[in-house]
Amino acid sequence: MRNEKTTEEVALGIRRRVFEHAMRNNGGYLSQACSAAEQLAWLYNEELRLGEPTLPAIPAPFGGVPSADNPDYHTGAGYNGPAAPEYDRLFIAPAHYALVAYATLIETGRMAPEGLEMFNKDGSSVEMIGAEHSPGMEVHNGTLGIGLSTGAGLAWGRKRRGEPGRTWVFMSDGEVQEGQTWEAVQACAHHGIDNLFAIMDVNDQQCDGAMSSVMDVGDIAAKFRVFGAHCVEVDGHDLNAIREAAAEPHEGRPLIILARTSPFHTMSILEERFPRLHYVRFKSEDERARFNVSIAADLGVAPVDLSE
Amino acid sequence: MVEMVSRPYASAFEKFAAGNPDILCLSADLTSSCEIDGFRDRHPDQFVSMGMAEQNMMSFAGGLGLAGFRPFIHTFGVFMYRRPYDQLMASVAYPRRKVRLMGFLPGITTPGGMTHQSIEDIAVMRSIPNMSILETGDATEVESICEAADSIDGPVWCRVLRGSVPRLFDTPIRVGEMRVLSEGSDVLVVTAGITTEEAMRARSALSRAGLSIRHIHLHTIKPFDHAQLLDHIGSVRHGVITLENHVTEGGIGSLVAETMADAGVGKRLIRLGLKDTYAHGGSRAYLMRYYGLDALALVRGIETLTGQEFGITEDDLDHARVDDVHSLVKAEAL
Ligand SMILES: Cc1ncc(C[n+]2csc(CCOP(=O)(O)OP(=O)(O)O)c2C)c(N)n1
Ligand SMILES: [Mg+2]
């Protein structure tokens, strides 16, 4: 399934949707749309080989958790198409990027815009922290640092079964502080897992602020290399650079693309909030109004009508 | 109208810890979400930023204990025992380090879904030798949790409420005791944490229905005064009902069940809480209704216990407080 839009258009559409949502809800994971829109747009619009969605365009309500008494339970992976051998799989490892991921599903025609209206509503499956039953999700990743390991296991298993499809993991840079991330790379190197691909949003941000002030992680590209990954660093807002990075040969090793990004790219007024950008909640109606006008102008849309 | 207190932990922790060089404040990248951002800014010498690396933080705290410090470690409760459980055992619990584990967003008080909801932490902590367990149910308990935890000679697990917290009590936590909130003779209700407020909402409707409720609130779950609980059980006709923000296995329902079984008490017990299920994400009021943790669920449980129907509906209960999703007392989305 290929979209009619260019990847640039998809990225802009993602930002517009997340902006509108954040305005209406007095805040949200807005900065993650600034940093990650190109990465998710590129994955869904051109890089991933995915089949047609198998779940309804308008997401069904929450249908219960996995249990022997819940035989109809299913994950939200069907929005990425069927899990056929030839298709790729994607995990959104930092589950708080769900809002951006849902906007991507809408922009690439995999979910109806109504899906975003259900975001974080009681009884909805479109959860704020993407759950495994949420659209586009196949596993629970709200506890950060477990996504790459799951991806490694799935990739190893698919290789053993001779499946040509690749396993992709979208990661955040906060995850490199968790030891498990490094254990995953170590296992990939040891077992020669090269059908695993990761792209990481290196926005230098975490909940408490700039990563260097919270827990410095140093030269993560060098660390990934010595742990045994093929690691490429690119400007995460430069689609051509991302495309070239994805084409690099990496036999016997996983490919990890570090997408260096700005947490206020395309929404310049967000810089006012630096270095606290993890979750932007407007502190006053005045601030909300100023951000509304400024970001709308940056994104080339009319300000969101906040009167309702 | 119940008094609401804004960010009681923020001021209580600062008042307690500031200037005491043996107390250290550790944080795992959830500093404002755990209300210690002001402390970090005003007392940087006592603040140790550990980043999002809970396993390391746990053993690091054990090491600080070895150096004579009493670290208060802060993150969401769920991140403080699931991944770093082995570190909690080996570095903290076994050697009885004076590490104070301040776990925020207990149970379904977070909309973050399974990965953010600590629904089995009390069961886990109760089974750890050397561990003590405290749970806060109101602002006064949050305000006194630091002193209470620090009075204990060993590690302490604390379930801490944050944001806008109701004041229900006017005396601080006294470790090892329990609060007797009413002294009726029909049914014993045992609650802890946020379920105490729910039980209080049902109080007047139940008394109008002619039922005499004995209500116990637990802030100390371990160590536990079994003898006192048995006295209360002995004072009621019908039996006991527990309501907890936790799975019904291993929490306060189990604690009461074990106490009764050990003493050979033959009364009925109904345990309300999460019934062998994970929860999902949603508002606290929705989750309490959906999973049967609220005042109405308690009323239905009491009806089952007594074999009577009182015809009580939501309208007969005291009003539930609805948390403002975008309240400024909440720093982050979660
Ligand atoms: C194991 C674990 N610890 C803590 C958290 C809480 N948490 C959620 S997002 C986050 C920040 C991580 O940084 P990053 O993913 O880079 O976030 P950004 O601010 O860039 O969106 C933290 C600490 C978590 N979800 N999982
Ligand atoms: Mg980041």
Side-chain angles (χ1 to χ4, degrees):
Chain A
M1 180 171 154
R2 282 287 178 274
N3 207 278
E4 305 299 305
K5 298 176 194 164
T6 67
T7 299
E8 285 83 354
E9 286 166 343
V10 173
L12 179 60
I14 293 169
R15 290 187 174 117
R16 286 174 173 170
R17 287 188 190 279
V18 173
F19 157 65
E20 189 186 317
H21 182 90
M23 277 303 144
R24 289 198 198 290
N25 292 279
N26 196 39
Y29 291 101
L30 186 58
S31 165
Q32 288 78 2
C34 296
S35 55
E38 280 85 5
Q39 296 162 66
L40 287 167
W42 168 77
L43 280 168
Y44 272 98
N45 203 50
E46 51 183 277
E47 180 63 18
L48 295 177
R49 287 185 290 266
L50 302 176
E52 294 291 329
T54 59
L55 289 170
I58 297 180
F62 170 63
V65 295
S67 148
D69 303 330
N70 188 13
D72 296 332
Y73 177 82
H74 58 81
T75 75
Y79 288 88
N80 294 345
E86 66 274 23
Y87 289 133
D88 293 342
R89 304 272 270 277
L90 171 70
F91 298 147
I92 305 292
H96 64 281
Y97 277 70
L99 177 61
V100 190
Y102 301 145
T104 312
L105 290 177
I106 296 172
E107 285 298 312
T108 53
R110 293 181 169 273
M111 182 170 80
E114 288 87 337
L116 214 52
E117 305 289 317
M118 302 171 179
F119 181 85
N120 197 26
K121 292 269 166 27
D122 287 341
S124 152
S125 59
V126 188
E127 299 204 7
M128 173 165 66
I129 304 298
E132 68 166 45
H133 51 257
S134 298
M137 312 296 165
E138 185 168 7
V139 288
H140 256 300
N141 280 323
T143 171
L144 269 66
I146 67 176
L148 191 64
S149 297
T150 317
L154 177 62
W156 188 95
R158 299 186 77 189
K159 201 170 174 178
R160 163 70 59 96
R161 295 197 183 285
E163 296 188 9
R166 303 167 303 169
T167 300
W168 275 88
V169 184
F170 171 78
M171 300 179 70
S172 67
D173 51 357
E175 291 191 281
V176 305
Q177 290 176 346
E178 292 284 355
Q180 183 172 354
T181 297
W182 303 100
E183 296 175 25
V185 181
Q186 169 181 291
C188 288
H190 183 77
H191 293 289
I193 302 172
D194 52 12
N195 54 340
L196 179 69
F197 297 71
I199 184 162
M200 179 186 289
D201 182 18
V202 186
N203 61 0
D204 283 325
Q205 289 289 308
Q206 58 186 126
C207 287
D208 280 4
M211 290 200 26
S212 58
S213 69
V214 180
M215 179 58 67
D216 196 14
V217 294
D219 183 351
I220 56 175
K223 288 184 182 177
F224 275 120
R225 288 182 193 122
V226 296
F227 267 76
H230 186 79
C231 182
V232 192
E233 270 185 291
V234 298
D235 172 350
H237 303 299
D238 179 346
L239 287 168
N240 277 329
I242 295 176
R243 291 179 185 119
E244 281 169 27
E248 290 221 6
H250 54 100
E251 209 193 320
R253 300 159 183 274
L255 177 70
I256 297 182
I257 303 173
L258 301 183
R260 296 246 169 226
T261 59
S262 156
F264 38 80
H265 185 71
T266 72
M267 302 188 197
S268 49
I269 196 168
L270 276 187
E271 192 171 357
E272 281 185 17
R273 287 295 198 90
F274 186 82
R276 296 297 313 281
L277 289 161
H278 177 75
Y279 187 93
V280 178
R281 175 178 287 117
F282 303 115
K283 295 187 172 113
S284 65
E285 278 307 312
D286 171 65
E287 183 184 47
R288 187 178 178 188
R290 277 194 308 113
F291 276 55
N292 190 9
V293 171
S294 169
I295 299 172
D298 283 346
L299 299 180
V301 288
V304 177
D305 179 4
L306 299 175
S307 58
E308 331 113 54
Chain B
M1 252 323 259
V2 52
E3 180 202 354
M4 297 304 294
V5 183
S6 174
R7 292 167 57 95
Y9 188 80
S11 35
F13 180 75
E14 183 162 3
K15 197 163 147 232
F16 168 78
N20 184 340
D22 294 334
I23 304 291
L24 295 172
C25 176
L26 271 60
S27 178
D29 191 30
L30 287 169
T31 302
S32 53
S33 293
C34 297
E35 300 185 353
I36 44 174
D37 44 336
F39 184 86
R40 169 197 60 200
D41 297 343
R42 288 183 286 275
H43 310 280
D45 288 353
Q46 279 177 265
F47 181 84
V48 189
S49 175
M50 301 305 299
M52 187 173 64
E54 296 81 4
Q55 294 170 298
N56 177 63
M57 176 165 75
M58 190 64 71
S59 294
F60 193 99
L64 291 172
L66 207 48
F69 291 96
R70 301 198 300 284
F72 279 62
I73 70 180
H74 298 82
T75 180
F76 295 162
V78 77
F79 300 134
M80 198 141 59
Y81 70 99
R82 285 195 183 157
R83 192 169 304 175
Y85 185 50
D86 191 28
Q87 288 81 358
L88 177 58
M89 278 290 194
S91 306
V92 174
Y94 181 90
R96 297 182 66 242
R97 301 283 175 247
K98 291 179 186 169
V99 175
R100 286 67 173 96
L101 302 131
M102 302 314 228
F104 287 74
L105 298 181
I108 53 72
T109 60
T110 163
M114 181 278 280
T115 56
H116 284 60
Q117 294 160 339
S118 57
I119 58 168
E120 80 296 5
D121 56 314
I122 295 175
V124 169
M125 297 305 143
R126 283 188 63 227
S127 64
I128 298 181
N130 296 337
M131 186 61 72
S132 296
I133 308 169
L134 305 177
E135 175 163 20
T136 57
D138 90 322
T140 302
E141 294 192 343
V142 174
E143 286 163 357
S144 56
I145 190 82
C146 296
E147 279 88 354
D150 204 36
S151 72
I152 292 172
D153 182 19
V156 193
W157 180 260
C158 301
R159 281 184 144 202
V160 188
L161 299 177
R162 64 157 209 204
S164 185
V165 184
R167 189 180 300 288
L168 308 177
F169 312 124
D170 50 19
T171 56
I173 294 175
R174 276 193 286 273
V175 176
E177 298 187 6
M178 58 186 74
R179 293 186 196 271
V180 183
L181 304 183
S182 63
E183 297 193 280
S185 55
D186 286 332
V187 172
L188 175 64
V189 173
V190 182
T191 58
I194 61 167
T195 62
T196 295
E197 189 187 359
E198 288 302 310
M200 291 167 84
R201 283 179 57 216
R203 184 186 279 172
S204 45
L206 288 166
S207 94
R208 278 196 301 274
L211 207 72
S212 171
I213 298 286
R214 181 170 288 254
H215 182 192
I216 304 291
H217 164 79
L218 305 181
H219 49 61
T220 307
I221 295 169
K222 194 180 172 187
F224 191 69
D225 185 348
H226 300 276
Q228 201 194 340
L229 180 70
L230 287 167
D231 281 348
H232 289 296
I233 296 171
S235 316
V236 294
R237 274 197 305 148
H238 291 288
V240 190
I241 183 158
T242 57
L243 177 63
E244 59 193 307
N245 175 23
H246 188 270
V247 291
T248 49
E249 292 73 33
I252 63 167
S254 294
L255 172 62
V256 172
E258 291 160 22
T259 306
M260 292 169 77
D262 285 347
V265 173
K267 283 188 173 136
R268 274 198 74 191
L269 167 66
I270 290 185
R271 291 174 293 133
L272 301 178
L274 289 165
K275 290 279 179 199
D276 194 25
T277 182
Y278 295 99
H280 85 122
S283 71
R284 171 170 149 181
Y286 157 79
L287 293 172
M288 292 188 92
R289 172 57 49 86
Y290 189 86
Y291 291 104
L293 310 180
D294 64 356
L296 201 59
L298 180 68
V299 169
R300 298 288 172 256
I302 292 173
E303 288 178 334
T304 307
L305 188 69
T306 58
Q308 289 172 267
E309 288 202 9
F310 308 117
I312 296 173
T313 66
E314 180 65 43
D315 295 339
D316 303 313
L317 301 171
D318 297 352
H319 277 301
R321 293 179 300 100
V322 179
D323 289 332
D324 177 5
V325 188
H326 290 290
S327 153
L328 283 177
V329 298
K330 218 167 72 172
E332 306 293 345
L334 293 170

